[in-house]
Amino acid sequence: MALKIFITGASSGIGQALAKHYAEAYQDKGGAIIGLAARRQDALKSLQTSLSTTANTVIYPLDVRDASALAQAAQDFIQRFGAPDIVIANAGVSAGTLTEDKTDLAIFKGVIDINLIGMVHTFQPFIKAMKQTGKGSLVGIASVAGIRGLPGAGAYSASKAAAIAYLESLRVELAPSGLHVTTIAPGYIRTPMTDINTYPMPFLMAPELAAKKFARAIEK
């Protein structure tokens, strides 16, 4: 039976690497059905084309801040394929912020809306159907920045700390239903988001290697 996965932030970086990993890893294990969600439709179409020989994919151009768009995507995915086995809330942004700078207030809100509230929007419409199957995994991509705040990255650090606490709460909340909640808190991964950084990034990891490590953690 094919593995059913839904991934946000799938158009590049970690999300793209995860989609490619699962498509390849399950090619000879019944295949993979992958829902790919992100804002950039052109990039989603390109990824879909690249995966056409290894997985059954469907794309959902959307913004995770839009709860109704995610609800519609979830409904479509479930109607077509059934409840997913894995939902990965990966969509995230980073931006330098300074609390003293009034113009950064809107940036704080935007980062938290995407990195935290977007995660809630991603999980919410899938939980009922997954509960009915009594199995499945909800996966949130957090960061080590959520454990130790970084100067000049207050919004990002706070959003990831909140994500870690939210996922911890959700894990206990859903345990009786048979659903698993996995928190992934990586360090620096080589993605378009980190490519703009001009400072040293210790232990920088290739996204392909990160995807393998993440998948192993999810499976465990």
Side-chain angles (χ1 to χ4, degrees), residues 117-139:
I117 305 304
M119 187 176 289
V120 180
H121 289 168
T122 300
F123 293 153
Q124 189 279 324
F126 285 109
I127 290 176
K128 182 178 180 180
M130 293 175 75
K131 274 187 171 182
Q132 290 173 349
T133 69
K135 61 183 179 67
S137 295
L138 301 176
V139 182

Side-chain angles (χ1 to χ4, degrees), residues 8-90:
T8 64
S11 61
S12 65
I14 294 172
Q16 183 185 89
L18 282 166
K20 290 181 177 179
H21 169 79
Y22 279 111
E24 181 178 343
Y26 283 83
Q27 188 174 5
D28 299 321
K29 299 179 182 179
I33 298 169
I34 311 175
L36 304 168
R39 288 181 289 185
R40 294 184 297 151
Q41 184 172 359
D42 57 341
L44 286 177
K45 286 183 177 179
S46 177
L47 177 59
Q48 184 179 44
T49 299
S50 72
L51 299 179
S52 61
T53 60
T54 54
N56 180 8
T57 60
V58 58
I59 63 172
Y60 299 100
L62 55 80
D63 189 318
V64 295
R65 290 172 291 187
D66 187 341
S68 62
L70 270 162
Q72 291 172 13
Q75 182 180 27
D76 179 78
F77 188 92
I78 293 167
Q79 286 180 344
R80 294 170 69 171
F81 310 114
D85 300 297
I86 303 172
V87 176
I88 304 177
N90 165 72

Side-chain angles (χ1 to χ4, degrees), residues 22 27 31 45 53 61 82 95 113 125 138 156 165 173 177-178 182 190 207:
Y22 279 111
Q27 188 174 5
K45 286 183 177 179
T53 60
D113 280 349
L138 301 176
Y156 182 76
E173 180 181 317
S177 65
T182 302
R190 193 184 67 244

